[in-house]
Amino acid sequence: MKSVAEICSDLIRFDTTNPGSGERPAAEYVATLLADAGLEPTVFESAPRRTTVVARVAGDSPDALLIHGHLDVVPADPAEWELHPFSGEIVDDCVYGRGAVDMKGSCAMTLATVLGMQAGGVRPKRDLVLAFLADEEATGDYGSRHAVTAHRELFDGVTEAISESGGFSVTAGDARVYPIAVGERGTSWMKLTAHGVAGHGSRPAVDNPVATLVHALSRIAAYQWPVRLTPSVAALLRSLSEITGRPVDLDRLDAEAARLGPLGSLFKGQIRNSANPTMLTAGYKVNVVPSTAEAHVDGRYLPGLQEEFLATIDELLGPRITREFVNLEDAPSAPYPSAFFDEMATALVAEDPAARPVPYVMSGGTDAKSFARIGIKGYGFAPLMLRPDLDYFGMFHGKDERVPVEGLEFGTRVLNRLLTGA
């Protein structure tokens, strides 16, 4: 049987850049591994080569757990990398390549764990549904959204799910903190349009939409969103105060995030809503005032704060800018505290006695949003022990993305404990 590092390397070697040629080769590889282990994977496409694989493993309880991961990756420029981003090379005990962390390494851990259980004739505590999805790095239209609508029956009986991004180690003195995600911020990707009067660039503008739009974007960029502590983030801050032995000052959270370094990264992007202008398009000639100008904004909001977020955006835009959603997804959350959270924490501590599991809210978004639409509560739990010098967040979409082999092996052992109770 292939090792988890070998599976990770194999998956990385499939160029599944999104946008690109699709996930089919990686999906076929996954389906073959599952079929050879005696499972019956379902393979389907939402469009040519946009391929997803789903399989069910019978357990001792029909109350099913979903483990989902995505096979697509963001682009990578080989000229910026020390090793080719699709080489999957193992150097200095790390697997290198695009997707090593986000998230072919996690998919490899899932596969290695389940294949090992199948080889040993071990049944999980509960039914498992495994989903290896297309298109997470875009909107999920070709992946998780398609799966929960066109193939809803494959997820019958599923109550909870695990996936990225949580269960990774953050070293803090003598302790290792393992954030387990119990929610994530909602997504509001918006296209903004300003209309005006076209004219010659040498004359006084009657109504320049470029200027109107730029002023609105400036207001958005300059706005300081107020701190909004959700219950889960508040629980995280209490845990960090206990672990570090110094209370986190709730009146100066930005400064506290800087003081705590890597631990501060667990909450600095999760204490408020945010909106970042990311794209700007206007005009076609330097001496022509165009009639329209367009921009895109990446908006994120905390659970329960969609209405407040959109009201603030409209106030900042003013009456002369129209907005439409490119993608609008609610901010899902999972129960905390909960018995299942405790199970994940127990599995971590069993493999790492120095582990300090804590609740955590993701600043970005995952396929959990799609599964929340059909009532599945998603947790971020792809366990990974990292070396203190490896920046987990910096690996996401960064150059020289890599994952330690021993970290993958650790994650496989943790998953085995969680799934079997061993």
Side-chain angles (χ1 to χ4, degrees):
M1 190 177 75
K2 285 180 176 285
S3 70
V4 63
E6 290 172 327
I7 296 173
C8 182
S9 293
D10 289 347
L11 287 172
I12 288 171
R13 292 189 186 103
F14 297 108
D15 183 351
T16 53
T17 300
N18 188 2
S21 58
E23 299 84 2
R24 182 187 292 175
E28 290 175 343
Y29 171 85
V30 168
T32 298
L33 287 180
L34 295 173
D36 288 346
L39 299 174
E40 298 179 359
T42 299
V43 181
F44 56 86
E45 293 190 335
S46 54
R49 302 184 67 83
R50 307 310 307 270
T51 316
T52 289
V53 181
V54 179
R56 185 176 286 258
V57 183
D60 293 332
S61 168
D63 175 27
L65 172 69
L66 169 65
I67 308 176
H68 62 92
H70 61 87
L71 297 173
D72 61 323
V73 298
V74 296
D77 182 355
E80 297 179 346
W81 288 55
E82 291 186 13
L83 300 172
H84 195 283
F86 298 106
S87 68
E89 289 191 50
I90 299 177
V91 177
D92 296 329
D93 294 320
C94 283
V95 185
Y96 276 75
R98 177 59 84 219
V101 171
D102 185 19
M103 67 172 296
K104 290 179 175 178
S106 299
C107 291
M109 290 192 298
T110 299
L111 286 165
T113 302
V114 171
L115 297 181
M117 292 165 54
Q118 289 290 109
V122 178
R123 285 173 65 92
K125 294 186 299 182
R126 56 199 289 195
D127 280 9
L128 303 177
V129 175
L130 315 176
F132 301 88
L133 300 152
D135 199 38
E136 191 274 347
E137 295 293 0
T139 61
D141 282 343
Y142 295 107
S144 59
R145 290 184 182 177
H146 175 78
V148 300
T149 53
H151 299 276
R152 171 65 181 84
E153 73 284 354
L154 295 176
F155 306 98
D156 286 348
V158 175
T159 56
E160 295 155 325
I162 59 173
S163 187
E164 60 179 342
S165 159
F168 56 92
S169 65
V170 181
T171 301
D174 295 331
R176 277 185 291 273
V177 175
Y178 287 84
I180 299 173
V182 297
E184 56 190 59
R185 293 198 300 172
T187 301
S188 177
W189 293 347
M190 296 168 284
K191 176 184 175 182
L192 311 180
T193 305
H195 297 275
V197 178
H200 199 288
S202 66
R203 299 171 183 168
V206 175
D207 184 5
N208 189 334
V210 178
T212 300
L213 185 59
V214 167
H215 288 314
L217 294 176
S218 179
R219 291 192 295 271
I220 289 174
Y223 182 68
Q224 181 65 29
W225 293 85
V227 171
R228 295 285 187 262
L229 278 188
T230 61
S232 297
V233 176
L236 167 65
L237 295 175
R238 289 193 297 270
S239 296
L240 294 182
S241 296
E242 177 186 344
I243 291 168
T244 62
R246 176 176 169 179
V248 176
D249 188 342
L250 302 184
D251 293 326
R252 49 193 304 272
L253 284 175
D254 292 312
E256 290 288 71
R259 174 180 70 83
L260 289 168
L263 291 181
S265 298
L266 300 180
F267 66 83
K268 68 180 180 180
Q270 292 89 330
I271 57 176
R272 51 171 61 92
N273 300 329
S274 66
N276 282 310
T278 54
M279 298 169 63
L280 183 62
T281 304
Y284 58 90
K285 200 170 186 293
V286 68
N287 62 342
V288 177
V289 175
S291 60
T292 61
E294 297 177 347
H296 285 74
V297 170
D298 183 343
R300 309 283 175 148
Y301 60 90
L302 288 161
L305 295 181
Q306 183 189 98
E307 185 176 336
E308 176 183 306
F309 170 80
L310 293 176
T312 302
I313 287 292
D314 288 340
E315 183 177 347
L316 293 171
L317 290 178
R320 301 180 61 198
I321 306 290
T322 60
R323 64 167 168 82
E324 57 185 293
F325 294 117
V326 177
N327 186 32
L328 179 66
E329 287 280 6
D330 204 358
S333 60
Y336 174 82
S338 71
F340 186 57
F341 184 97
D342 292 343
E343 288 182 38
M344 292 183 282
T346 298
L348 282 169
V349 175
E351 288 297 329
D352 181 7
R356 299 294 298 269
V358 298
Y360 158 71
V361 174
M362 286 181 268
S363 62
T366 73
D367 282 325
K369 289 179 166 60
S370 294
F371 293 109
R373 295 181 177 186
I374 58 173
I376 298 174
K377 302 297 185 182
Y379 291 87
F381 189 71
L384 191 65
M385 182 185 286
L386 294 172
R387 303 169 185 172
D389 61 325
L390 281 181
D391 177 9
Y392 178 79
F393 294 111
M395 293 292 102
F396 275 75
H397 301 184
K399 63 181 181 180
D400 298 326
E401 184 179 352
R402 61 198 182 277
V403 62
V405 172
E406 62 183 355
L408 294 171
E409 293 170 345
F410 168 84
T412 302
R413 294 194 301 272
V414 173
L415 285 176
N416 184 70
R417 286 185 179 274
L418 176 66
L419 302 182
T420 67

